[in-house]
Amino acid sequence: MTAPDAKTIGFIGLGIMGTPMAAHLVTAGHRVSGYDVNPEAVEKLVAAGGRAASSAADAVQGADVVIMMLPDHPHVESVVFGAGGVLEAAKPGTLLVDMSTIRPETSIEIAKAAQDREIGVLDAPVSGGEAGAKQAALSIMVGGDEADFAAAKPLFEVVGKTIVHVGPHGAGQVVKAANQLVVGGIYGLVGEAIVLMEGCGVDARTGLDVLAGGLAANRILDLKRESMVARQFEPGFRIDLHHKDMGIALAAARQADVSLPMTGLVAQLVAATRAMGHGSLDHSALLKVTEQLSGRA
Ligand code: NAD
């Protein structure tokens, strides 16, 4: 059913995160036209009640809001700046919300370019993983103008629970980079805890149950300890994408003239996991590198 305040939304990028997010927007009564280079992904949106767009331009045509959920900055740049892309196809007054995780400078560049065309822009990356997307419980960190944030907030509330305007264009991406270095570090340490316990002949599943109730408790232990102990690494969030995010964090640190030694170490472990051929596995597969380093793989 169409809601009285229904928006026409062009949704570009219907992968692990985009598909459930777009489906929630349909359920909330919005008219969603989805586009993805992978036709199977578009079919999933159609099954959820959305409309299949044949191109990015088709998805953007007549949209009040355009949402992107793409892998990295080159995909975002081609969809925004390319021939028939968002800047060419969107009408003035459209709001462009990029929920992908990309480097902050691209978000700033897009906002500048869109200004001339009277298109508002927000960078609004998310945290919470596939489970958060499916349960409409994402954390959303938003960079951009206050008025655009206020306009987009009802849509954010459809897909997320913690929604915060963190600063100007690019600030959302900086906060997301901070999020990713913490998440990467926790995965690395949970992996080390498992390798230590197993190496000492202690049952890791039982041990992690205790950790999850004490000071070491965290969301990753809650959501992933079972699958990590069972060595189930189906994504979720791919190592390839986390590798990209560690690069964003280190580049931002370099630009800000700050030193992040632990982030550097975690970035190398993620790079090693990828170099070992595990780029398409879930980021919990960081455990595999620790096992390899200990001769236990
Ligand atoms: P994904 O690879 O599953 O989905 C990306 C989709 O974009 C794919 O379906 C791909 O076909 C499509 N695509 C690529 N280029 C395109 C183009 N030019 N036009 C249209 N579609 C195109 O990735 P994902 O896991 O859904 O992640 C998307 C973004 O969200 C990434 O930036 C990621 O870092 C971020 N993110 C992911 C998670 C997670 O747990 N998976 C959590 C938080 C944030």
Side-chain angles (χ1 to χ4, degrees):
M1 211 177 63
T2 308
D5 57 351
K7 299 273 184 227
T8 300
I9 299 171
F11 204 114
I12 304 171
L14 297 164
I16 288 176
M17 299 296 281
T19 293
M21 291 165 72
H24 288 312
L25 291 164
V26 172
T27 306
H30 299 288
R31 296 172 292 269
V32 182
S33 284
Y35 175 65
D36 194 292
V37 287
N38 172 10
E40 280 171 29
V42 181
E43 276 165 31
K44 285 189 202 157
L45 175 66
V46 172
R51 172 186 165 269
S54 56
S55 63
D58 183 25
V60 167
Q61 204 77 44
D64 305 308
V65 179
V66 174
I67 299 178
M68 297 184 293
M69 197 51 170
L70 295 161
D72 197 359
H73 72 94
H75 314 86
V76 169
E77 284 162 7
S78 83
V79 165
V80 173
F81 297 118
V86 178
L87 289 190
E88 221 174 87
K91 61 183 187 205
T94 305
L95 182 57
L96 172 59
V97 182
D98 184 16
M99 303 189 81
S100 329
T101 303
I102 61 168
R103 56 187 191 183
E105 48 276 40
T106 298
S107 303
I108 294 166
E109 220 174 283
I110 291 172
K112 276 194 191 138
Q115 213 169 19
D116 296 344
R117 309 228 21 190
E118 291 171 50
I119 294 168
V121 176
L122 294 171
D123 49 297
V126 307
S127 175
E130 186 183 15
K134 285 185 170 164
Q135 293 158 17
L138 293 169
S139 287
I140 311 177
M141 37 225 115
V142 188
D145 296 345
E146 185 64 51
D148 291 332
F149 174 68
K153 202 163 177 221
L155 299 180
F156 291 146
E157 283 166 349
V158 172
V159 296
K161 285 231 168 83
T162 304
I163 299 148
V164 184
H165 184 209
V166 293
H169 297 294
Q173 298 296 355
V174 172
V175 174
K176 175 66 186 182
N179 183 83
Q180 290 308 84
L181 70 88
V182 173
V183 169
I186 294 172
Y187 270 117
L189 287 172
V190 171
E192 290 189 10
I194 291 171
V195 169
L196 173 67
M197 287 188 275
E198 290 180 349
C200 295
V202 172
D203 183 62
R205 184 172 275 112
T206 310
L208 290 184
D209 285 348
V210 184
L211 265 64
L215 189 56
N218 63 72
R219 290 275 291 155
I220 287 167
L221 270 183
D222 290 347
L223 294 173
K224 292 294 191 91
R225 67 180 189 271
E226 275 295 329
S227 58
M228 285 179 78
V229 171
R231 273 51 173 187
Q232 288 164 358
F233 299 122
E234 193 195 322
F237 184 69
R238 287 181 288 118
I239 282 285
D240 281 340
L241 289 176
H242 212 131
H243 178 66
K244 165 206 54 146
D245 293 350
M246 297 313 290
I248 293 170
L250 288 176
R254 189 180 169 90
Q255 211 161 8
D257 256 331
V258 297
S259 166
L260 307 180
M262 291 181 50
T263 302
L265 177 57
V266 174
Q268 292 307 310
L269 291 170
V270 174
T273 316
R274 188 165 185 263
M276 283 163 56
H278 305 312
S280 59
L281 297 184
D282 188 69
H283 52 171
S284 51
L286 212 48
L287 169 61
K288 280 176 166 284
V289 172
T290 310
E291 283 184 304
Q292 184 101 15
L293 289 171
S294 306
R296 297 181 65 84

